[in-house]
Amino acid sequence: YKWYKSLVDAVEEDSAEIKKITDKIVINCKTEREKMDSIFYWIQDNIRYLAFEEGLAGFQPDAAIKVYNNKFGDCKGMANLAKNMLKSQNIDARLTWIGTRDIKYDYSIPSLAVDNHMITTVFLKDGSKFFIDPTETFIRSGEYAARIQGRPVLI
């Protein structure tokens, strides 16, 4: 966890710019859930998924503004964009490492081989928790792809 966190902490974010962008996306939303859904669907519709798996890029997310400007990102960059957009709206969102069903290991083995994907965990003020995976193009908010269902996570 400490190593993963050090990689995330090294990413420089432009919170003010992300807030301006996100305010336009959620302008008609009244609840946290509506804002979460709007942000999730906006990323699905506007940011293309591209896998980066070589070297440090396999573990460190790109800055949210870079993903926004490029209009593409890997799972880590897209999760980071979602997290930063949600945080700009005062919604508790956290990066979450997860191993898909292709991975045969879990956290009982302290290894980088445990995780091969990143999503965002959202904690709403009403006590509900959601895992959002913006790399999934055709899935509704609150639903999860089979490849991550039932898998342990590191938040």
Side-chain angles (χ1 to χ4, degrees):
Y1 176 82
K2 286 181 183 179
W3 185 71
Y4 281 162
K5 185 168 180 350
S6 73
L7 296 176
V8 171
D9 289 345
V11 177
E12 293 184 26
E13 299 293 352
D14 186 347
S15 301
E17 189 62 27
I18 290 296
K19 179 159 179 42
K20 281 192 242 177
I21 294 161
T22 308
D23 285 348
K24 293 175 187 172
I25 294 168
V26 301
I27 195 164
N28 294 318
C29 299
K30 294 177 182 23
T31 67
E32 281 188 316
R33 176 65 193 261
E34 287 176 349
K35 289 178 181 182
M36 180 189 78
D37 290 348
S38 291
I39 290 166
F40 177 65
Y41 293 134
W42 186 91
I43 295 172
Q44 279 185 326
D45 292 344
N46 294 281
I47 306 296
R48 195 162 31 131
Y49 171 68
L50 245 65
F52 304 142
E53 299 175 356
E54 192 169 333
L56 196 57
F59 298 98
Q60 186 173 44
D62 279 330
I65 197 68
K66 180 178 179 184
V67 175
Y68 173 82
N69 287 333
N70 288 342
K71 299 294 185 240
F72 69 83
D74 67 352
C75 63
K76 297 167 299 299
M78 293 174 79
N80 192 41
L81 176 60
K83 179 197 92 164
N84 280 277
M85 287 181 148
L86 289 158
K87 283 189 149 316
S88 80
Q89 301 302 305
N90 299 312
I91 297 172
D92 185 0
R94 304 174 195 182
L95 295 179
T96 305
W97 288 265
I98 187 170
T100 62
R101 288 190 173 183
D102 296 340
I103 302 289
K104 303 300 180 211
Y105 309 110
D106 62 23
Y107 291 109
S108 65
I109 298 170
S111 169
L112 294 177
V114 172
D115 301 307
N116 65 343
H117 193 48
M118 185 182 278
I119 59 176
T120 307
T121 303
V122 183
F123 298 92
L124 299 182
K125 288 180 183 80
D126 68 6
S128 56
K129 175 177 64 177
F130 294 90
F131 296 111
I132 59 172
D133 183 355
T135 67
E136 292 294 334
T137 309
F138 301 106
I139 199 164
R140 289 187 295 182
S141 178
E143 293 183 355
Y144 311 114
R147 66 193 177 109
I148 63 171
Q149 289 179 7
R151 298 295 298 165
V153 298
L154 178 65
I155 301 173

